Amino acid sequence: MLDLAGELHRWIAEGRAFAVATVVAVGGSAPRGPGAALAVDSEGTVIGSVSGGCVEGAVYDLCVQALQDGETVVERFGYSDADAFAVGLTCGGTIDIMVTPVGADAPARPVLRSALSAAARDEPAALARVVRGPAELLGTALLVRPGEAGAGPSRAGSGAGSCEGGLGGHAELDRTAAGEARALLDAGRTGTVELSADGSRCPGGVTLLVESRVPPPRMIVFGAIDFAAALVRVGKFLGYHVTVCDARPVFATRTRFPEADDIVVDWPHRYLCGTATDARTVLCVLTHDAKFDVPLLETALRMPAAFVGALGSRRTHADRERRLREAGLNDGELARLRSPIGLDLGARTPEETALSIAAEIVATRRGGTGTPLTGSGGPIHHGHAPRRLRGPALSEHPAVGAR
């Protein structure tokens, strides 16, 4: 749902009534993970997607029905071998979808407004919603912002403290849910959490979907060359906040990199030492010059980062590795270096090379192998969430859950 924050926040500001369908659990091979959403307003306008097309028509109908009757429902969509024309996922997996009406008088509208507003401004926040449990709790929401652990949530609409909203008036449930949501927010993850209705951490009573929204991860491209310009475009397409850094002011210009979020003229290793990075940061070293590469990689390989890659031939890589060993890096640190950077696509042009680099970044992030799917026996869709729903199915129908 938070992925649609920009448009949904505008809808709320305009006073529109809408219904939002959110993937709350997946099983087997499924095209979208928990948190993926589709929304329909009272005029029939549709944004988002929950399945890549397999069940969108049926979900649209559920949203229209929710706008009419004001009821939150959870439905399961799967694959039916018995009925080839049943509404379901052709990939063979299952998805559970919660459909929530957000009318002008919806109890959760104030907290959803705050959550969407925060997400639209790229402020870190986590939205916890009840997706399984007592009927009166279904769809209730708690917004958690970064803050001190253990701080009790405020009541809906107050805006005070680090939490807003609530899960049906259960103070202990709110307190425990806030702690769980904050842990997922700290990790920048979306997932499900099982608690008891009294707030203890025993599974089986209430299942929450926690959607985390954190600022976009950083991609820092070192080396203001033509390959970097293409990589900046691909990085923006993938949702990164992209910085270009080069010590040469004649090359590191806004004219050459109009799509970059930041352009920095500084020695690469000096800039990296002084800028904010985390375990999601991607570092792409395209300088292809030992006087820049070696001190930069010596720093990069000793700090948290999701990906560290360097451009160059195999001969360049061998020389670079020798220099890095002489600088004191050990085998474990050197093993983190992706060099020569990119997957083997036979790339020649800057754009093809950028695609090759991006493909390796995605494969590293998602646990992919980089091998062709044709002829492979492995899964197409890798795990979507850190935790999945346990216990009784939300709906027992193989193709679509009965209302």
Side-chain angles (χ1 to χ4, degrees):
M1 177 179 177
L2 297 186
D3 287 344
L4 305 179
E7 190 69 11
L8 292 182
H9 182 245
R10 184 172 68 83
W11 284 9
I12 282 187
E14 293 173 353
R16 295 198 209 184
F18 60 90
V20 60
T22 306
V23 176
V24 298
V26 301
S29 180
R32 302 294 305 275
L38 177 150
V40 180
D41 74 359
S42 55
E43 301 298 320
T45 303
V46 183
I47 58 173
S49 171
V50 292
S51 72
C54 303
V55 300
E56 312 292 6
V59 174
Y60 173 88
D61 291 339
L62 289 173
C63 288
V64 171
Q65 183 63 40
L67 282 169
Q68 293 173 355
D69 60 28
E71 294 183 8
T72 295
V73 297
V74 177
E75 302 283 2
R76 168 164 291 182
F77 293 86
Y79 179 76
S80 173
D81 289 316
D83 184 357
F85 295 97
V87 176
L89 300 179
T90 56
C91 57
T94 61
I95 54 174
D96 293 326
I97 295 177
M98 182 170 72
V99 180
T100 304
V102 187
D105 57 351
R109 190 176 179 100
V111 67
L112 293 181
R113 175 195 289 270
S114 295
L116 293 169
S117 177
R121 296 193 301 269
D122 279 333
E123 296 176 357
L127 180 66
R129 290 185 288 163
V130 176
V131 299
R132 178 178 178 271
E136 66 273 14
L137 299 185
L138 196 63
T140 55
L142 177 69
L143 173 63
V144 177
R145 302 175 188 270
E148 296 181 4
S154 64
R155 296 276 55 84
S158 71
S162 60
C163 299
E164 182 178 340
L167 305 178
H170 301 266
E172 193 59 36
L173 177 60
D174 286 353
R175 187 171 295 108
T176 305
E180 295 284 343
R182 190 170 289 110
L184 284 171
L185 176 59
D186 289 344
R189 294 161 55 189
T190 289
T192 53
V193 176
E194 292 192 5
L195 305 171
S196 64
D198 63 4
S200 64
R201 288 178 169 81
C202 299
V206 173
T207 300
L208 308 177
L209 172 68
V210 180
E211 296 178 70
S212 293
R213 181 65 176 237
V214 293
R218 297 191 67 189
M219 173 186 284
I220 308 178
V221 181
F222 298 96
I225 63 176
D226 289 345
F227 289 94
L231 185 56
V232 167
R233 294 193 292 273
V234 175
K236 291 298 297 179
F237 177 75
L238 292 177
Y240 286 93
H241 180 102
V242 183
T243 299
V244 175
C245 176
D246 197 298
R248 303 165 296 177
V250 68
F251 293 111
T253 66
R254 178 59 62 186
T255 300
R256 286 170 54 80
F257 300 96
E259 296 176 74
D261 294 290
D262 306 300
I263 298 173
V264 176
V265 178
D266 199 353
W267 279 78
H269 72 282
R270 184 166 60 192
Y271 172 69
L272 184 59
C273 287
T275 193
T277 60
D278 59 26
R280 301 182 301 147
T281 301
V282 167
L283 305 175
C284 299
V285 181
L286 311 186
T287 47
H288 206 205
D289 186 329
K291 70 175 177 290
F292 294 121
D293 290 359
V294 173
L296 172 58
L297 290 171
E298 184 182 355
T299 300
L301 294 173
R302 287 171 168 162
M303 65 192 311
F307 180 93
V308 181
L311 187 69
S313 67
R314 298 194 185 280
R315 177 178 295 179
T316 299
H317 170 68
D319 179 67
R320 182 189 291 137
E321 183 174 348
R322 177 184 60 80
R323 292 171 183 268
L324 290 171
R325 287 188 184 279
E326 291 174 354
L329 270 69
N330 60 39
D331 289 342
E333 291 164 338
L334 289 171
R336 298 182 57 212
L337 177 60
R338 302 282 180 156
S339 176
I341 192 173
L343 298 185
D344 181 8
L345 304 183
R348 294 287 185 181
T349 68
E351 290 74 18
E352 291 173 347
T353 301
L355 178 61
S356 166
I357 295 170
E360 185 176 21
I361 291 170
V362 173
T364 301
R365 178 184 179 189
R366 299 299 188 188
T369 63
T371 59
L373 293 174
T374 301
S376 68
I380 295 175
H381 303 292
H382 290 259
H384 288 292
R387 282 180 276 185
R388 290 190 19 219
L389 293 170
R390 299 184 294 271
L394 300 180
S395 170
E396 300 301 331
H397 290 256
V400 56
R403 286 176 54 79

